[in-house]
Amino acid sequence: MFKYRKEPVLPIPSELYDEIGQLGDRVRGLREDIARIRGQYALLVQSPTSLRVDDLGPPTDPREAAILTHQGLRVMDRDLETVEKGISWVRGPASRISLTGAATDHREQQIAAQRPPIERTR
């Protein structure tokens, strides 16, 4: 079945599935961070007299800058929500994949062949 020795060592599908789950965890963490930061910007928006902006760019209102930042964070959260839904969807078909017994045996042989020989000393 496996004629070519230079074939790549196949990954283990269940490990890839776990990595997809870890991606989901990271995205959820990012969304939590964004929600926390958005909350902080919402507080700034409510205190416009306590804000100012630098004079390095075009003139802008400090409250407007805080509102734009808050809105930008909301857009980022929506994009990450789409990513989270994609991760959830892709886990369905990914959970069904496994290597055949022959592919598993071949994979183990490839890994064993790649290990350096053990040097014996007296």
Side-chain angles (χ1 to χ4, degrees), residues 37-61:
I37 295 168
R38 277 185 69 209
Q40 297 299 305
Y41 272 98
L43 292 174
L44 292 176
V45 168
Q46 295 172 10
S47 300
T49 59
S50 299
L51 304 177
R52 66 185 180 99
V53 292
D54 61 35
D55 58 358
L56 298 175
T60 187
D61 176 72

Side-chain angles (χ1 to χ4, degrees), residues 25-120:
D25 294 342
R26 290 175 19 211
V27 171
R28 276 186 293 286
L30 283 172
R31 292 189 70 202
E32 290 169 4
D33 290 345
I34 288 171
R36 180 183 50 78
I37 295 168
R38 277 185 69 209
Q40 297 299 305
Y41 272 98
L43 292 174
L44 292 176
V45 168
Q46 295 172 10
S47 300
T49 59
S50 299
L51 304 177
R52 66 185 180 99
V53 292
D54 61 35
D55 58 358
L56 298 175
T60 187
D61 176 72
R63 185 171 186 271
E64 181 181 343
I67 289 169
L68 289 173
T69 303
H70 185 268
Q71 289 173 344
L73 289 166
R74 183 176 63 223
V75 169
M76 290 168 52
D77 183 58
R78 283 185 196 155
D79 290 346
L80 287 173
E81 180 182 23
T82 300
V83 171
E84 198 171 21
K85 287 177 182 177
I87 289 170
S88 179
W89 180 89
V90 80
R91 289 187 81 189
S95 70
R96 301 187 61 198
I97 303 168
S98 63
L99 295 177
T100 65
T104 300
D105 292 344
H106 180 67
R107 180 182 188 283
E108 290 171 4
Q109 290 169 3
Q110 286 178 297
I111 292 170
Q114 290 176 354
R115 288 190 191 114
I118 298 173
E119 294 183 28
R120 305 229 183 245

